[in-house]
Amino acid sequence: MIVTRMGDGSFIKMSEEEVKADIEAGVEDAVKRGKIEPLTAAEIDYLVDICCRPQKFVSVQQGNELILTYDSGTLKITRLGIPIGMPQIMQIYERAFAADTLELAYVHYSFKPIKMIVPEEQYAVAETSLVTTAPLFYGAMPNLPLYTQPDGPCPNAAELLPAGKIAEARAAQEEAVEYAVKDMVFVGSGVYEAGADGIDFDTTAAAGDAEFQATLLACEQLRAKYPDMAIEIGMAGEFVLGFHGQLEYDGVRLAGLYPHQQVKLAEKAGASIFGAVVNTNSSRTFPWNLGRAVTFCKACVEAAKIPVHANVGMGVGAVPLVMTPPIDCVSRASTAMAEVGKLDGL
Amino acid sequence: MTETNDLLKKVIESVIGGDEAAAEALARQALEQKMDPLQVINEGYVVGIKQVGDLFECGELFLPELIQAAEAVKKATELLNSAITGGAESSKGKVLIATVEGDIHDIGKAIVVSLLVANGFNVLDLGRDVPTLDIIAKAEEFKADVIGTSALLTTTMVKQKELEETLVKEGLKSKYKTIVGGAPVTVRWAEKIGADAYAENAGEGVNKIIKLISGS
């Protein structure tokens, strides 16, 4: 029997046939939802092989290594209670964790609170860029709900929608988009001018289509302002939720887009890297989630003209939804993303 | 027969289109034509809202459209219900629903409520951040068949366990069927705490509640 896990991290045992059946079901779910091509029989067999290898840690063949990046790097070490500053944390990522890019981030990790402390963040960016050599990103979340009551000036769509006030809910989200774009452009400009190589819009569209639109518009403005700036748009999930439902970018309705469609708009807006995300279903097995995540990501890579980095971490990219992602699943998902999904980075 | 089918087809279209005015007008037209209100509900509005649920599930319709459709069904079925013999409601059962204490998320719950109402259930929505004892007290008062709870946080889902434990402690567990949902909640969690059912999404919630009430 093969020891694997459920999406909630608990151990289960499956036969090889059951592993294969679950991978096929995961692939089928992605195909049905995204209207994309399935993995080939050989690719599915390779995923089965990855899942069934007895080793705790699985890796790629030499030559198939990927760019390895970490988001919100400074927050993760800070959370451990280690009292060191941002530049030193970035040095640890660069020199101990083998990160190919670095990401500096403020603890609130949202553009709105960061706009108040841009000079402090500029100092951290400048200081870090003097002691590291890897490309330095500054990352934060668009976090549209911070612009709605009680945290912001706009009416709260989450209260208006259940009350049946559809037009008001849509207007409130459109108003929030305007505030969010201004903050993202302001912060992005500030950190870039202080020496960051780029900006990472992390967990984009967590609040749905309006947040995706705000991010695309901010990306477009930053690209026009800084032609050489690296801009990564990392998503929150494989599907753009339609909290507004009618918003468009470049004539395309944003609600309901899957990764292979999202990446085309990110390209149009001027992004340099796209962060594909496929959420883990905690009620399904790791093989099911793996088949599904790799199918979505592979379709995204095939559609993309810019590099695609898959999110492979807690609750995304087939990794179980637990606080400390288990290495058996992280290493298998990473291997599958590299060798079957043909991603450019993780 | 063709006239009836045409009207039912228009009813379904009005629900999918979220056209409240058309849905209501068609309900009035059905009553004027002496059609059976129950047939119009079951073969028109319920079919329409089920299709809306399927389209929502597939990501082809979104939250605003879902709510518009549910509102359209609610108003039209209220009219038809009032015309059913003696004005009695054709409720499929009583469902009490709440977001557990400490949790203020209720968009998902609102979708479930809309679908349940549209499917003919009598629903008491206690809102969000509701203490366990209040849920039980209201269930007793409302004479609920099913108690549904939602939790969006790992820190608040323990309140679903508290509800199950309290129902057992108070000797009320056999009186109600319980169903749990919410982002961190899983079927294994439901089994672990002793809930009668778990629903991954709103559509499944309605189907599970129908099964719980029918005992199948």
Side-chain angles (χ1 to χ4, degrees), chain B residues 6-67:
Chain B
D6 284 349
L7 190 133
L8 291 174
K9 197 177 159 195
K10 282 180 189 167
V11 164
I12 294 166
E13 285 168 1
S14 73
V15 176
I16 294 172
D19 190 339
E20 214 173 290
E24 200 174 330
L26 287 163
R28 288 186 196 285
Q29 191 185 331
L31 292 174
E32 281 164 14
Q33 291 175 7
K34 309 282 182 207
M35 285 174 67
D36 176 7
L38 265 180
Q39 184 196 9
V40 181
I41 290 174
N42 290 328
E43 294 175 26
Y45 294 98
V46 171
V47 172
I49 201 71
K50 277 185 179 159
Q51 288 187 20
V52 168
D54 291 343
L55 290 167
F56 180 75
E57 181 62 17
C58 297
E60 289 177 27
L61 275 187
F62 301 97
L63 193 55
E65 288 100 330
L66 178 74
I67 291 171

Side-chain angles (χ1 to χ4, degrees), chain B residues 96-211:
Chain B
L96 178 143
I97 195 161
T99 301
V100 296
E101 186 176 13
D103 204 321
I104 56 161
H105 301 87
D106 66 356
I107 286 189
K109 178 176 66 58
I111 299 169
V112 177
V113 170
S114 298
L115 281 184
L116 284 170
V117 170
N119 277 277
F121 287 94
N122 187 356
V123 183
L124 177 61
D125 180 5
L126 296 185
R128 55 194 187 182
D129 193 15
V130 188
T132 301
L133 291 179
D134 288 1
I135 293 174
I136 295 173
K138 289 287 180 188
E140 286 286 284
E141 200 179 294
F142 181 56
K143 298 189 188 341
D145 299 303
V146 176
I147 300 175
T149 52
S150 169
L152 199 83
L153 306 170
T154 50
T155 49
T156 58
M157 60 195 274
V158 289
K159 291 289 175 184
Q160 294 176 325
K161 183 166 178 262
E162 184 183 277
L163 174 69
E164 298 295 333
E165 288 168 350
T166 310
L167 284 172
V168 171
K169 192 176 151 194
E170 299 294 325
L172 297 169
K173 176 64 187 163
S174 59
K175 203 168 170 182
Y176 305 105
K177 295 290 183 189
T178 55
I179 182 167
V180 292
V185 177
T186 64
V187 66
R188 289 141 59 81
W189 170 250
E191 285 165 7
K192 188 177 167 185
I193 66 173
D196 296 299
Y198 155 78
E200 189 175 331
N201 54 51
E204 189 178 284
V206 173
N207 292 333
K208 291 274 179 77
I209 288 172
I210 290 169
K211 281 186 183 169

